[in-house]
Amino acid sequence: MTTQSHTASDPAPRHSRRALFVPFIIFGIVLAVWTVWWFWMAFEVKSQLHTRLERLEKAGWSIAYSKTSTRGWPLHTRIGLHDVNVLAPSGHGLRAPEILAEANSYNPLRWVVAAPDGLTLVRAEKGETLVQAETIRMSLSGLRQRWPNLAFEAVKPRFTAIGEAAPFPLADAALIQLYMRPHITARTEAGDDVDILVRLIEAKGREGGPVQGFTQNDQLTLQVEAVVEKASALRQPSTPAGLLSAWTAAGGRFTDIKGEMKAGETHALLTSPLLTADDKGQLEGEVAFKAEKPLAALVGLAGSHQGTPADRAAAARAAATTPQGAEEDGEQKVELSVMFRNGRTYLGPFALAPAPRLF
């Protein structure tokens, strides 16, 4: 009986190499599916954008742009509008070389909109103002809510009048921010109201303007929060009366207003239970101030080249008659009440300046 034995020269058993290709096949399938999803989402976003723009045009808006672009594959969806020109029926609008909207492809419910090359504000009869900044962007999230969460910021904006346009009230600022979110009631339900927060940091007024006078050639820092009631009226088409005309006509108003202001040497806390706007968009209501050193701001306001000569004279008289209150550590502390009515800003019986205009 004989046995066979393997020698060192016998070939080793061969193993299949098909398993090596399995990860690449899976990756290819996933990439193909993801690419189809990316292009579908980009198409849907562009389609929804065009639909919304068409609705605005039917409501009287003028909207023009040279082209749209889509990029960002594979992780981002970035939609660009080039040479944008938007004008509302009121005559207000904006122009921009490019507006970009970007979202993560895996989270299309949060978008960031930016104007990387700046923009131009169109202020109806007041003309155009060029806005240049390190960053101009706005984020939108919670798009499935009745009201999304919105955050806008402009970092180091500079405002320059174009041609014969009226100067913008501000020359520049370190930061401008606006936040909006649904207002939650005691029942923890979001209704038709929204909360807003506005922050203006280290702003400088234009030469000879009311902000420069009010701050005594210094800086203005302001933070104000409020509840905007009947916010759904903001979605109604604007009219030649202004961007917020439909909202004010529907009874829209600001409630629970509170904030803080620093203008040069003047520091103040402000509160108001209610502010509205007239049919011209000018504020109406009363704001209470607890101020330190208010005289400097009033004197500066009186000397600024704003309002009518009667307004400037009234501001001077108001400054002269303002009670200075008790002095503590060398600081004047006093409570003031400012009234907005009939298109004017009043301190007591004195008309200081035109009332702030919302639109």
Side-chain angles (χ1 to χ4, degrees):
M1 183 176 178
T2 61
T3 60
Q4 291 182 329
S5 60
H6 294 283
T7 64
S9 61
D10 291 336
R14 298 185 63 183
H15 298 283
S16 174
R17 297 183 180 180
R18 287 179 295 181
L20 298 176
F21 297 100
V22 171
F24 296 98
I25 294 173
I26 294 174
F27 176 78
I29 294 173
V30 171
L31 184 61
V33 171
W34 181 263
T35 301
V36 171
W37 155 257
W38 187 91
F39 279 101
W40 177 85
M41 188 178 70
F43 174 81
E44 282 295 305
V45 171
K46 290 177 66 175
S47 177
Q48 289 291 328
L49 176 62
H50 291 156
T51 299
R52 293 179 182 275
L53 294 181
E54 288 174 359
R55 290 176 183 173
L56 288 174
E57 289 179 332
K58 291 179 180 179
W61 290 61
S62 174
I63 301 176
Y65 51 92
S66 61
K67 65 176 181 177
T68 60
S69 61
T70 305
R71 52 190 187 270
W73 182 91
L75 297 180
H76 300 90
T77 301
R78 188 178 299 117
I79 307 296
L81 290 178
H82 301 263
D83 303 317
V84 181
N85 193 337
V86 179
L87 193 65
S90 62
H92 296 77
L94 62 85
R95 294 188 291 106
E98 184 179 29
I99 299 292
L100 290 176
E102 179 177 326
N104 292 325
S105 298
Y106 51 84
N107 182 22
L109 296 179
R110 185 181 185 278
W111 287 84
V112 175
V113 181
D117 299 317
L119 52 84
T120 299
L121 293 178
V122 182
R123 300 191 295 150
E125 70 278 358
K126 293 185 177 181
E128 300 180 350
T129 299
L130 177 64
V131 184
Q132 297 174 303
E134 291 186 359
T135 302
I136 301 176
R137 63 187 176 190
M138 176 179 66
S139 68
L140 291 165
S141 60
L143 297 182
R144 289 178 178 173
Q145 302 171 169
R146 181 173 185 177
W147 292 103
N149 301 317
L150 180 149
F152 168 85
E153 72 173 3
V155 180
K156 294 185 178 180
R158 301 178 303 280
F159 303 91
T160 305
I162 298 177
E164 301 298 322
F168 197 73
L170 300 179
D172 58 62
L175 181 66
I176 298 176
Q177 293 179 320
L178 168 65
Y179 297 94
M180 184 188 80
R181 67 181 182 185
H183 179 65
I184 305 300
T185 65
R187 298 174 297 172
T188 68
E189 295 177 359
D192 196 25
D193 304 338
V194 298
D195 298 329
I196 62 168
L197 171 65
V198 179
R199 300 181 70 216
L200 179 63
I201 308 299
E202 296 179 0
K204 294 182 179 179
R206 64 173 174 83
E207 185 69 27
V211 175
Q212 186 189 62
F214 189 65
T215 60
Q216 312 102 58
N217 296 318
D218 205 333
Q219 297 177 333
L220 172 65
T221 293
L222 176 69
Q223 176 170 306
V224 179
E225 56 183 285
V227 178
V228 181
E229 295 186 348
K230 296 188 177 182
S232 60
L234 293 170
R235 293 174 173 170
Q236 297 179 18
S238 67
T239 70
L243 287 171
L244 304 181
S245 55
W247 174 70
T248 55
R253 59 184 193 170
F254 299 101
T255 61
D256 194 21
I257 303 112
K258 51 180 176 280
E260 184 175 4
M261 177 188 70
K262 187 177 186 303
E265 297 180 355
T266 302
H267 179 267
L269 300 177
L270 61 96
T271 58
S272 176
L274 173 66
L275 287 175
T276 60
D278 61 17
D279 56 0
K280 296 181 180 180
Q282 291 179 296
L283 279 181
E284 290 190 335
E286 185 175 5
V287 179
F289 289 86
K290 293 183 178 180
E292 297 176 358
K293 297 185 178 181
L295 183 60
L298 290 174
V299 170
L301 186 65
S304 68
H305 303 156
Q306 55 82 43
T308 65
D311 288 332
R312 294 196 294 271
R317 290 195 299 271
T321 58
T322 296
Q324 298 309 305
E327 293 192 3
E328 182 177 318
D329 297 329
E331 293 185 342
Q332 306 160 354
K333 298 187 177 181
V334 65
E335 294 187 4
L336 302 173
S337 180
V338 175
M339 179 71 72
F340 305 111
R341 68 174 185 271
N342 301 325
R344 288 285 184 266
T345 301
Y346 290 87
L347 178 61
F350 304 110
L352 303 183
R357 189 170 182 176
L358 297 179
F359 52 83

